[in-house]
């Protein structure tokens, strides 16, 4: 069995705990054993999974990998700690708030002989797979991707571009490398409103 700890118990972390406690029969996840979860908040147990301290998770030799599901800004530091402790790491997208930090982390994982995997779960959904089939072989002339959400805490989530970066990877996966041609941001603090508008060009303009 491969020992796992889940770090962070937001929506993604709770889903990880649920799936690890109830693995799909005959799937690789049957070989994963959840040793517990780490959170800054005090929960005790969640679905029979026990809360453990970060220090215990880093020290425990029976824990081989960490599934990191915390806010964006803390990903880099948490990854470093678990790689230093000799653990494999799976982290929710995005891995870090800069490309430089991401490359440093991948180099660190390689030096340690550990797997560092960034998971962008949306790219594995049936809806997305269908969308990819529909655009295959077609040339993009013009298009718009519009999505909304609640206003996020920038101290935890990073600059607004990071709140939407998961969606932007859809476009790169579908249409190849993109170049930013312009970007604007509108904020209305009194209405708790913020909007970022970005224009991209594909490689063939």
């Amino acid at each position: 069995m491969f020992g796992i700890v889940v770090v962070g118990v937001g929506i993604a972390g709770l889903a990880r705990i649920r799936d690890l406690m109830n693995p799909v029969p005959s799937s690789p996840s049957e070989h994963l054993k959840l040793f517990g979860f780490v959170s800054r908040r005090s929960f005790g147990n969640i679905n029979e999974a026990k809360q453990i301290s970060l220090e215990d998770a880093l020290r425990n030799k029976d824990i081989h990998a960490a599934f990191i599901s915390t806010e964006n800004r803390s990903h880099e530091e948490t990854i470093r700690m678990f790689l230093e402790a000799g653990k494999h790491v799976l982290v929710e997208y995005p891995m870090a708030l800069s490309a430089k930090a991401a490359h440093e982390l991948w180099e660190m994982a390689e030096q340690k002989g550990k797997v560092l995997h960034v998971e962008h779960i949306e790219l594995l959904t049936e809806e997305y797979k269908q969308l990819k089939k529909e655009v295959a072989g077609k040339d993009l002339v013009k298009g718009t991707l519009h999505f909304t959400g609640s206003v996020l805490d920038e101290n935890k989530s990073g600059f607004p571009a990071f709140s939407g970066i998961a969606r932007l990877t859809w476009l790169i996966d579908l249409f190849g490398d993109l170049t930013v041609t312009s970007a604007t941001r509108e904020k209305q603090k009194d209405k708790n409103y913020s909007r970022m508008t970005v224009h991209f060009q594909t490689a063939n303009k």
Side-chain angles (χ1 to χ4, degrees), residues 45-58:
N45 287 3
I46 296 177
N47 296 341
E48 297 179 22
K50 65 178 181 177
Q51 185 166 4
I52 62 176
S53 70
L54 177 61
E55 292 73 23
D56 286 346
L58 292 168

Side-chain angles (χ1 to χ4, degrees), residues 4 11 24 47 66 69 77 81 84 106 110-111 131 141 159 192 203:
I4 304 293
I11 294 171
V24 176
N47 296 341
S69 304
E77 181 186 2
M81 285 192 289
E84 284 286 0
W106 265 313
E110 194 170 334
Q111 288 166 4
L131 176 62
V141 178
F159 188 68
N192 202 26

Side-chain angles (χ1 to χ4, degrees), residues 77-96:
E77 181 186 2
T78 311
I79 291 168
R80 285 186 193 279
M81 285 192 289
F82 278 97
L83 288 178
E84 284 286 0
K87 317 286 187 191
H88 303 287
V89 176
L90 178 147
V91 62
E92 304 286 345
Y93 192 94
M95 179 166 71

Side-chain angles (χ1 to χ4, degrees), residues 16-33:
R16 296 271 183 211
I17 291 170
R18 178 200 65 209
D19 294 344
L20 287 163
M21 298 293 283
N22 302 284
V24 176
S26 302
S27 72
S29 57
E30 280 195 317
H31 302 286
L32 303 179
K33 180 180 179 181

Side-chain angles (χ1 to χ4, degrees), residues 88-123:
H88 303 287
V89 176
L90 178 147
V91 62
E92 304 286 345
Y93 192 94
M95 179 166 71
L97 297 189
S98 74
K100 181 176 181 287
H103 286 293
E104 287 174 1
L105 292 169
W106 265 313
E107 285 172 14
M108 183 179 178
E110 194 170 334
Q111 288 166 4
K112 298 276 185 186
K114 298 300 171 185
V115 173
L116 171 54
H117 175 71
V118 187
E119 185 159 281
H120 188 348
I121 199 79
E122 289 177 351
L123 300 185

